[in-house]
């Protein structure tokens, strides 16, 4: 994406390989479960979980003011440039008014991204945008057994780090998103984009290290605290925003690579139920450069890879024959199945390690 270090054809091949590899791993594990010596009820239980893990769609909605960087965030995190057989883009709620942009949907395998129109362009247009966002939040997904759940699994609210005026975003959060979600407010994640230009008194960006200097870091931490405090006072929710930079190339030729993108991805994964994470892995941007620069609070790249471990526990959950230790179910008749689960997670982590390590 940046500097021509990875050409488009190579990147597209890696993206498709990720999708195909995820499918192959799921198929291989299903075969291992079926041919194992585990009891039929154990096999059936694991197959149900495996098929749910590998076949479940994950819906992420992005909301924010015009210019906050929703599209650049999508392009940085996910592989929206794959071949047409893997990517489907569609407009939702289209109107005849050419000045009104509606929700755009991007499908990458089982991952569906909903890019809502930017807010803050006028009262009438914003009113329409609020309507389509509300309608999407009210959509339900009917499961195989008839249970109905909200279609949207995660609402990613992106704030513009370069402006002090966040009133429009607070308003849509307080008046639309939170009321529509009701008790399910745990699926809200707030991210502060454009961290590199957050200060008006100077750039304070270290191009060599691709990170904020100490002055900017302190400013961003204060801004995060301020946003968290205001949300807490307005809504009662305790949400700590993640600040990041989606990355771009300036007219001067200087490149600002993504910063804290792995941190954002780590928080996205951990905001989703375990069975919803496989779709995110299958839709990732596979350009390793995207994830190179992060703060040093923790190793987010390792955290992203390690989050695949939880999928092993999910597939193996409920098995009565033996206990889950690492990724191997000890004791007959579960041992063979346990090894297959371990191979499943190992395969996924093998793919991810080429991107994040």
């Amino acid at each position: 994406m940046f500097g021509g270090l990875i050409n488009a054809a190579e990147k597209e091949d890696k993206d498709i390989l990720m999708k195909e590899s995820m499918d192959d791993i799921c198929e291989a594990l299903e075969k291992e479960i079926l041919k194992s010596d585990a009891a039929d009820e154990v096999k059936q239980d694991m197959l149900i979980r495996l098929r749910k893990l590998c076949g479940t769609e994950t819906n992420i909605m992005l909301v924010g003011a015009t210019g906050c960087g929703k599209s650049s965030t999508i392009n940085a995190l996910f592989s929206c440039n794959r071949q047409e057989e893997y990517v489907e883009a569609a407009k939702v709620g289209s109107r005849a008014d050419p000045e009104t942009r509606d929700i755009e949907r991007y499908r990458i395998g089982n991952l569906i991204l909903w890019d809502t129109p930017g807010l803050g362009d006028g009262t009438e247009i914003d009113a329409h945008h609020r309507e389509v966002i509300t309608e999407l939040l009210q959509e339900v997904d009917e499961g195989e057994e008839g249970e109905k759940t909200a279609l949207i699994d995660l609402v990613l609210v992106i704030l513009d780090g370069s402006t002090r005026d966040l009133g429009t975003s607070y308003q849509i959060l307080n008046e639309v998103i939170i009321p529509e979600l009701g008790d399910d407010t745990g699926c809200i994640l707030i991210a502060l984009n454009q961290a590199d230009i957050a200060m008006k008194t100077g750039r304070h960006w270290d191009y060599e290290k691709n990170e904020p200097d100490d002055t900017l870091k302190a400013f961003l931490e204060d801004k995060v605290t301020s946003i968290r405090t205001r949300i807490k006072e307005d809504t009662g929710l305790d949400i700590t925003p993640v600040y990041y930079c989606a990355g771009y190339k300036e007219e001067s030729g200087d490149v600002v690579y993504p910063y804290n993108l792995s941190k954002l991805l780590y928080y996205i994964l951990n905001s989703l139920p375990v069975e919803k994470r496989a779709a995110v892995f299958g839709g990732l941007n596979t350009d390793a450069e995207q994830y190179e620069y992060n703060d040093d609070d923790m190793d987010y790249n390792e955290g992203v890879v390690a989050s695949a471990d939880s999928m092993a526990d999910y597939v193996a959950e409920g098995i009565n024959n033996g206990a889950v230790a690492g990724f191997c179910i000890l004791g007959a008749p579960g041992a063979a199945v346990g090894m297959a689960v371990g191979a499943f997670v190992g395969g996924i982590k093998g793919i991810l390690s080429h991107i994040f390590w």
Side-chain angles (χ1 to χ4, degrees), residues 121-136:
D121 291 333
T123 303
E124 183 177 349
I125 296 178
D126 275 3
H128 167 70
H129 294 345
R130 288 165 61 109
E131 288 177 8
V132 295
I133 291 171
T134 300
E135 289 174 4
L136 182 55

Side-chain angles (χ1 to χ4, degrees), residues 88-107:
E88 169 197 347
K91 288 189 176 182
V92 180
S94 298
R95 297 198 327 174
D97 184 355
E99 294 184 358
T100 302
R101 187 174 74 84
D102 295 287
I103 297 175
E104 293 180 346
R105 181 184 65 204
Y106 299 90
R107 173 184 286 277

Side-chain angles (χ1 to χ4, degrees), residues 21-319:
S21 297
M22 292 290 290
D23 290 345
D24 290 344
I25 290 169
C26 290
E27 183 178 349
L29 179 55
E30 182 169 332
K31 290 179 180 178
E32 289 298 318
I33 291 173
L34 287 171
K35 72 181 184 182
S36 74
D37 60 354
D40 288 343
E41 59 268 25
V42 173
K43 292 181 184 180
Q44 185 64 26
D45 185 64
M46 293 188 72
L47 286 172
I48 289 172
R49 293 180 181 279
L50 174 65
R51 288 164 183 167
K52 186 173 183 179
L53 184 73
C54 296
T56 297
E57 292 182 344
T58 300
N59 289 267
I60 299 176
M61 182 172 76
L62 292 90
V63 178
T66 299
C68 70
K70 294 189 302 297
S71 296
S72 61
T73 300
I74 289 174
N75 290 328
L77 276 174
F78 304 110
S79 296
C80 291
N81 61 339
R82 288 185 184 171
Q83 293 179 350
E84 187 62 29
E85 61 179 305
Y86 293 124
V87 178
E88 169 197 347
K91 288 189 176 182
V92 180
S94 298
R95 297 198 327 174
D97 184 355
E99 294 184 358
T100 302
R101 187 174 74 84
D102 295 287
I103 297 175
E104 293 180 346
R105 181 184 65 204
Y106 299 90
R107 173 184 286 277
I108 316 170
N110 287 331
L111 177 65
I112 304 174
L113 306 170
W114 302 85
D115 183 8
T116 63
L119 301 160
D121 291 333
T123 303
E124 183 177 349
I125 296 178
D126 275 3
H128 167 70
H129 294 345
R130 288 165 61 109
E131 288 177 8
V132 295
I133 291 171
T134 300
E135 289 174 4
L136 182 55
L137 287 172
Q138 292 174 346
E139 287 288 327
V140 296
D141 185 27
E142 186 168 335
E144 294 180 359
E145 299 179 359
E147 73 277 11
K148 294 183 178 181
T149 58
L151 174 69
I152 298 301
D153 300 298
L154 177 66
V155 179
L156 178 57
V157 181
I158 299 180
L159 306 180
D160 182 355
S162 67
T163 179
R164 294 180 181 274
D165 183 13
L166 300 175
T168 301
S169 298
Y170 286 131
Q171 189 175 33
I172 195 72
L173 180 64
N174 296 341
E175 298 179 6
V176 177
I177 297 174
I178 292 175
E180 289 299 331
L181 292 178
D183 295 333
D184 195 19
T185 51
C187 63
I188 300 173
L189 180 60
I190 301 195
L192 188 66
N193 190 18
Q194 304 184 51
D196 60 305
I197 54 174
M199 293 187 70
K200 301 298 183 183
T201 57
R203 188 60 183 270
H204 293 285
W205 188 258
D206 188 328
Y207 281 94
E208 184 176 346
K209 296 181 179 180
N210 198 68
E211 65 179 19
D213 66 12
D214 290 342
T215 301
L216 181 53
K217 284 180 183 177
F219 179 86
L220 289 167
E221 292 294 341
D222 287 344
K223 194 160 190 173
V224 163
T225 300
S226 175
I227 294 169
R228 177 181 177 181
T229 300
R230 176 164 178 177
I231 293 173
K232 178 75 172 179
E233 292 175 348
D234 290 348
T235 68
L237 298 180
D238 193 1
I239 304 175
T240 301
V242 177
Y243 66 79
Y244 73 106
C245 172
Y248 56 91
K249 187 172 183 178
E250 297 181 327
E251 293 182 2
S252 63
D254 290 326
V255 173
V256 176
Y257 290 87
Y259 176 76
N260 265 355
L261 200 62
S262 290
K263 182 175 185 177
L264 178 59
L265 176 59
Y266 175 79
Y267 275 80
I268 287 173
L269 288 168
N270 284 279
S271 297
L272 291 167
V274 174
E275 67 271 20
K276 295 284 186 175
R277 296 176 187 175
V280 177
F281 285 132
L284 284 181
N285 185 338
T286 57
D287 184 350
E289 282 189 313
Q290 300 290 90
Y291 311 104
E292 184 174 353
Y293 303 100
N294 297 279
D295 65 41
D296 55 5
D297 288 350
M298 66 170 282
D299 189 337
Y300 299 105
N301 285 354
E302 182 178 348
V304 168
V305 177
S307 65
D309 294 347
S310 61
M311 295 192 294
D313 294 334
Y314 175 79
V315 175
E317 185 179 342
I319 295 179

